[in-house]
Amino acid sequence: VDGASQRNFLQQRSRGHWPLYDSADLGFRNYWYPAMFSRGLKKKPIKVKLLGDDLLFVRQGGKVFALEDRCAHRGVPLSLGRCDFQGTWTCRYHGWVYDVSSGRLVAALTDGPDSPIVGKVAVRTYPVEERAGILWVWMGEGKPVAIEEDIPSEVIDPKNTVIGTFRLVKGDWRYAAENGYDEGHFKYLHRDSLWARFYLRAKFPAWSLHKDSMCEIEGQSGWLTREVTKVVMKDEYPGLGSWPKDEWWRTRIDKALVSIRLPGILRVSWPDRPVVDFEWYVPVDKGYYLYGQIVVVKGLTTVGRRLLYAKYWLIWRWLWHGEFNGQDIEMVQATPVSAPERLYRPDASIVAWRKLCEQTARGVKDRAQTLTNREGKL
Ligand code: FES
Ligand SMILES: [Fe+2]
């Protein structure tokens, strides 16, 4: 392949081929998304923005409800309101009272018990589930799918211990997902992290090759997986010399197995560790995403669980989810929106992920229809 046609090929693959993906700046709606840890929602209601919509989470009688955070009357956020009657939520402004499970207006206090508006209006409510100590919300159209379809089995298994962090991050959720599955970056970007050098003492390869299967969609589960076929720990670069430098204290060869699936879930596991690391990239608003960093540890005793909590909050939280993933966050923020790109061989991973979204995201058929109508063509 000569230079010009190679350039052509890469540009073709990198721009304009993913219209649905490119237009999904607020994500794919027909999925269950994590919103926060259950323990974060107590008596006090919490407002959050997800997929561009403002939501209000309230806990009443031990159950969690999510409502659109906008009063049907004059649009004031319901999160300013309060609970006057069990099972309902009252708007702060004129005292409209909504049923928290159906969203229906059950009273307009300042218009008397016979107010004619009652029964005629409602706010949207969203299905919510509590699983693995996390609140999950369905913001899609129609009846939600079974939640087990959208939460990886290791997270939902009550025998496993789940711990982690949710943080609001500046950046596009798609760049965060691409960075998670990006095959090339960790061998350079993360090489100097304290986590990798001194805690894991992990050796990263100089470069590696992968099976083409990372471009294919794996079975029913919908995971894409990068399978290594060749690893080169150190190499000679013409005119430059050898790279990387030896660091004698790095003794373990990193054998991470990395997978990704819709709607933006990364899974990283290691053959020699009982730990599975998950990352969720949940669109919040244009240019912001909720970064869920969730670690699952298998087979712990009660004492082991306590030790894990201590280890997580004293070390992992800062070094792994903080310093190491902080390098990812910095790069995601630094990636300009719609920058021209010239992809290289390891980016087959990114292309595979874009293709997965383009072809298999739930609800894309309707989106394709909308795009066709709007633009006259796809
Ligand atoms: S704006 Fe909510 S009751 Fe008037
Ligand atoms: Fe990374």
Side-chain angles (χ1 to χ4, degrees), residues 179-180 185-186 189-190 324-325 327-328:
N179 170 81
H185 84 286
F186 81 92
L189 177 70
H190 294 314
F324 181 85
N325 288 137
Q327 297 181 320
D328 294 310

Side-chain angles (χ1 to χ4, degrees), residues 71 73-74 76 91 93-96:
C71 181
H73 178 214
R74 302 288 305 284
V76 160
C91 175
Y93 204 175
H94 311 91
W96 285 28

